[in-house]
Amino acid sequence: QSVLTQPPSASGTPGQRVIISCSGSSSNIAGNPVTWYQQLPGTAPKLLIYSNNQRPSGVPDRFSGSKSGTSASLAISGLQSEDEADYYCAVSDDSLTVIFGGGTKLTVL
Amino acid sequence: QVQLVQSGAEVKKPGASVKVSCKTSGYIFSNFYIHWVRQAPGQGLEWMGKINPSSGTTSYAQTFQGRATMTRDTSTSTVYMDLSGLRSDDTAVYYCARVPGVGTARFDYWGQGTLVTVSS
């Protein structure tokens, strides 16, 4: 059971907008930047969003992140079949320990 | 280009130790922390700890205190992760990843992963 809580699954149809949540606490999300990763089967995680809402170069602007208080969210708009993957939130907490959310499996119907 | 290349798959018996390497290239080795993250089959990501390649200072997740040891070789820009007292639930893919400093979980480059199987 992770300290960061994510829904185990999410789904949407092509073109839809999907939101994945990540719930934490005052000692982790509230005071520290949140990062999101996408992991395709059999591959290493890929950096998707950092510093709550920043996209690395090469990440489509269909992906966006936000944070409010002790929660963060990843939004994927214009859902595509290749977005089917596992998504993880992560944060370095007040003691500089890195915590990952339990992960959300996104299915594109 | 930035690369983190890990050593190959390992099969170990319970109680043994394993040492996984992560050879870096394409950037200044001392400028980025290296973290280790593992993923058991069908499970999520689990942070193990980190090393400052410049000073060699380490920090470990409580779960791995006393069992994991991270070291580095500045002459070859390589980081090592040694895990002792292996158990069957240590079977996982082990990843190294770099981070630009402390206070962030921004892993911008990852190794390809090393499968460690613990079985009698």
Side-chain angles (χ1 to χ4, degrees):
Chain A
Q1 197 79 358
S2 176
V3 174
L4 300 181
T5 302
Q6 296 182 236
S9 64
S11 63
T13 56
Q16 266 191 333
R17 184 171 186 257
V18 171
I19 295 176
I20 297 171
S21 62
C22 175
S23 177
S25 70
S26 58
S27 65
N28 45 63
I29 288 181
N32 300 284
V34 176
T35 308
W36 288 91
Y37 295 93
Q38 176 193 62
Q39 187 178 32
L40 299 171
T43 68
K46 171 190 170 185
L47 179 64
L48 206 58
I49 297 287
Y50 66 96
S51 295
N52 306 322
N53 56 16
Q54 301 300 300
R55 279 187 312 276
S57 61
V59 173
D61 59 7
R62 303 187 295 105
F63 294 90
S64 61
S66 63
K67 186 179 90 169
S68 179
T70 60
S71 293
S73 295
L74 171 71
I76 309 172
S77 60
L79 199 61
Q80 299 180 4
S81 58
E82 59 259 39
D83 298 333
E84 188 159 290
D86 294 326
Y87 292 85
Y88 295 90
C89 59
V91 68
S92 176
D93 69 11
D94 291 349
S95 61
L96 302 183
T97 294
V98 173
I99 310 167
F100 286 97
T104 298
K105 183 176 183 62
L106 175 64
T107 300
V108 181
L109 303 169
Chain B
Q1 72 281 23
V2 175
Q3 285 190 305
L4 281 68
V5 179
Q6 299 182 223
S7 48
E10 303 262 12
V11 179
K12 296 291 183 180
K13 293 194 182 303
S17 297
V18 68
K19 191 168 189 173
V20 181
S21 67
C22 173
K23 183 170 176 58
T24 73
S25 61
Y27 70 96
I28 299 173
F29 181 62
S30 59
N31 284 3
F32 292 80
Y33 280 69
I34 294 292
H35 295 230
W36 289 87
V37 176
R38 78 175 185 180
Q39 185 170 37
Q43 302 301 308
L45 302 172
E46 181 178 25
W47 182 74
M48 299 181 68
K50 65 189 177 192
I51 183 168
N52 178 339
S54 178
S55 65
T57 303
T58 55
S59 176
Y60 302 103
Q62 200 160 3
T63 310
F64 299 99
Q65 288 276 1
R67 267 209 319 143
T69 303
M70 297 172 191
T71 57
R72 94 290 192 213
D73 181 345
T74 56
S75 68
T76 60
S77 301
T78 301
V79 172
Y80 300 91
M81 191 284 297
D82 198 310
L83 188 63
S84 62
L86 289 170
R87 307 182 293 253
S88 58
D89 61 0
D90 289 319
T91 294
V93 175
Y94 290 75
Y95 295 101
C96 61
R98 76 166 201 178
V99 168
V102 295
T104 174
R106 179 185 170 185
F107 302 115
D108 59 355
Y109 284 90
W110 294 67
Q112 81 276 20
T114 296
L115 175 62
V116 175
T117 303
V118 183
S119 174
S120 56

